[in-house]
Amino acid sequence: MIIYFKKIIKCACCALLFSGEGQAFEESHEVSFDISQVKETSLLNSLTKKALEGDGEAAYEVGRMYLLGKEVPKNDQRAFWWFERGKKDGDIGAQIMVARCHIWGWGTNADPIEALKNLITPLNNKSSFAILTACSLLDTHPDIFISSKDARKTSTSLVLMLTKLLEEKNDPELAKECAEKLQSFLQKSKDKASIEATFANLTKKQAQRQVRQQQITRRGAPLSVLSKGIKKTSESMNYVYYSWKAEILNTTGKDLNMVAKLVIKDRNGYQVEYTYSSQTVIPAGDSKVISSQGMLEQHLWKPGNTIEVIPYER
């Protein structure tokens, strides 16, 4: 039993030294820990050993642990280092994560061009995660892809490629999420017309599919939410400032005057409601995208809280 606990303490000390957070202590100090932490430390050590031996998938898993703060302190710089390691050892998932780090500046400088370079091989492998990441790249850094004639050619080619891959995948959920991002990119693009024609057919099919699904699943509801999105634009010590948008479908046979309510709830049941005051007329059987801005208390902007858009007739 004494030998067993000595091994556990040695394992825990090794993990502290690896994380750079270990501190010297006198033998008279008491060391306490949760047994589950020891198990997870062993998992991290096991994955790290495999990664250092050239296992790209293990390097990817270690990177995710640091990026998410899963069982280890969150550290974006270490996450990026491990993703780069996994990429060099041939792991596609790690290479996509390197691209995502360059999109959002996780552990490295934001560099959309470098992100695109890292997506070429995964896209050639028809990875769904790479397709979604490429759409996010266009939506997050539109200015880079419309800044010059060559940049617009690149974005046109990329949209063509993504459209073809989405048609081949035939995945409604992936197509819906990507269509929203591509539409957002097109709204910001100065070269909108030449690219819109490229995937108008995909967008039209997706819209028709959404209308059919909503009419079947929510028959009788005069107004339905086809899609919604919310993102943080800035924050202060006490508040988060955000923008949101939603596409509302009128399933009736008449034009409707509509307003919308945004309801945000936390895990304890506390909720706030904001009414979108601008009245919007939605033609019969048609849909419209509405958008607005607002601010929330910091405690409401947390994972696990819910955001609901409720449209109703004026």
Side-chain angles (χ1 to χ4, degrees):
M1 181 64 73
I2 294 174
I3 295 174
Y4 172 75
F5 277 105
K6 282 185 177 179
K7 287 183 178 180
I8 291 179
I9 292 173
K10 183 178 179 181
C11 179
C13 290
C14 288
L16 287 170
L17 287 172
F18 179 80
S19 66
E21 295 175 7
Q23 295 180 350
F25 56 87
E26 298 176 1
E27 289 185 0
S28 60
H29 288 194
E30 181 180 354
V31 179
S32 61
F33 51 85
D34 187 289
I35 192 66
S36 63
Q37 294 174 328
V38 176
K39 292 179 181 177
E40 294 299 342
T41 300
S42 298
L43 173 62
L44 175 64
N45 288 343
S46 174
L47 287 172
T48 300
K49 183 175 183 297
K50 290 180 181 179
L52 292 174
E53 291 172 350
D55 188 328
E57 185 177 354
Y60 164 78
E61 291 295 341
V62 174
R64 285 186 74 252
M65 290 176 76
Y66 278 111
L67 183 67
L68 301 174
K70 183 180 178 183
E71 315 304 340
V72 293
K74 179 176 170 59
N75 190 317
D76 290 354
Q77 286 76 24
R78 284 190 183 175
F80 179 70
W81 190 92
W82 282 110
F83 290 142
E84 281 277 18
R85 177 93 188 202
K87 168 193 166 184
K88 290 175 183 176
D89 289 327
D91 186 75
I92 292 294
Q95 185 164 359
I96 297 172
M97 289 308 300
V98 169
R100 293 177 76 84
C101 287
H102 280 301
I103 293 174
W104 290 290
W106 298 336
T108 186
N109 294 328
D111 188 339
I113 302 303
E114 196 63 33
L116 182 58
K117 289 178 182 178
N118 279 282
L119 286 172
I120 293 174
T121 298
L123 285 173
N124 286 334
N125 281 274
K126 301 182 179 180
S127 162
S128 296
F129 192 29
I131 294 170
L132 180 60
T133 299
C135 292
S136 296
L137 171 61
L138 288 170
D139 187 28
T140 305
H141 297 283
D143 293 344
I144 297 295
F145 294 96
I146 61 177
S147 59
S148 67
K149 184 177 180 180
D150 288 340
R152 287 193 291 273
K153 285 183 179 179
T154 299
S155 64
T156 302
S157 299
L158 182 56
V159 171
L160 275 167
M161 181 182 189
L162 293 172
T163 303
K164 182 178 179 181
L165 289 171
L166 285 168
E167 290 175 343
E168 291 177 2
K169 284 287 183 180
N170 193 27
D171 182 339
E173 289 299 319
L174 177 64
K176 177 182 177 182
E177 195 166 356
C178 287
E180 290 175 354
K181 295 180 184 298
L182 290 174
Q183 286 169 349
S184 175
F185 168 70
L186 290 175
Q187 289 172 1
K188 304 165 188 173
S189 172
K190 296 176 182 177
D191 197 26
K192 185 184 298 185
S194 64
I195 305 177
E196 276 184 340
T198 302
F199 74 105
N201 190 44
L202 172 69
T203 305
K204 183 178 180 181
K205 287 180 180 178
Q206 185 62 30
Q208 290 173 341
R209 188 184 299 116
Q210 287 177 339
V211 170
R212 286 197 299 270
Q213 288 175 344
Q214 291 293 329
Q215 288 176 336
I216 292 172
T217 59
R218 299 189 64 176
R219 185 166 292 160
L223 293 166
S224 300
V225 179
L226 292 182
S227 63
K228 62 183 178 182
I230 184 168
K231 65 179 181 180
K232 179 168 67 175
T233 56
S234 63
E235 64 181 318
S236 64
M237 182 178 297
N238 298 317
Y239 295 97
V240 169
Y241 301 89
Y242 64 90
S243 62
W244 67 275
K245 66 178 181 179
E247 184 177 5
I248 311 298
L249 171 68
N250 177 1
T251 61
T252 71
K254 63 177 183 177
D255 296 351
L256 290 181
N257 293 321
M258 183 224 74
V259 292
K261 182 192 299 181
L262 197 67
V263 180
I264 300 146
K265 299 179 181 179
D266 69 11
R267 294 176 177 177
N268 299 319
Y270 176 80
Q271 72 177 47
V272 291
E273 298 181 3
Y274 298 99
T275 300
Y276 175 74
S277 58
S278 298
Q279 186 167 302
T280 303
V281 177
I282 303 183
D286 201 358
S287 66
K288 276 193 177 182
V289 175
I290 61 173
S291 61
S292 187
Q293 298 176 334
M295 68 179 187
L296 284 176
E297 297 173 30
Q298 281 280 3
H299 73 91
L300 285 170
W301 193 273
K302 289 183 179 179
N305 293 356
T306 60
I307 300 170
E308 185 177 6
V309 177
I310 304 175
Y312 56 96
E313 185 178 359
R314 175 70 89 181

